[in-house]
Amino acid sequence: MDASISWNFPPVTLFLNCMCTFVLNLSVFLVISRTSALTARVTGVVRDWSVVLLSAAIFADTKLTFINIVGYAIGILLINLVI
């Protein structure tokens, strides 16, 4: 990080980011404590897909090409075969 550039983090954005991270960690803890590690692994895969698709929907400059989607599908297939 360059010291000459002023970084501006709005407190509301920073707080919302912290709350989202806290809720995510709490939900992972609750899933593992009430179910099994396998369930946590499967929900992790679903969460990864959700992050990719929501990022593509929210950020207009993100382009999901056919090759990207095939790559994600292969990755998820391989993870599911390991489980």
Side-chain angles (χ1 to χ4, degrees):
M1 293 175 134
D2 191 6
S4 65
I5 297 174
S6 174
W7 291 89
N8 183 14
F9 293 109
V12 173
T13 304
L14 189 61
F15 177 74
L16 289 175
N17 190 9
C18 291
M19 289 307 297
C20 286
T21 304
F22 175 74
V23 169
L24 175 65
N25 287 330
L26 184 64
S27 66
V28 168
F29 169 75
L30 291 173
V31 165
I32 291 174
S33 67
R34 299 189 190 266
T35 60
S36 67
L38 176 64
T39 306
R41 190 114 185 234
V42 171
T43 56
V45 171
V46 172
R47 184 186 67 216
D48 292 343
W49 266 98
S50 301
V51 167
V52 168
L53 294 176
L54 282 173
S55 297
I58 291 173
F59 302 110
D61 60 342
T62 304
K63 303 250 191 284
L64 275 178
T65 64
F66 179 73
I67 292 175
N68 295 125
I69 295 171
V70 169
Y72 289 127
I74 290 171
I76 288 180
L77 261 169
L78 291 176
I79 288 173
N80 288 332
L81 288 176
V82 172
I83 294 175

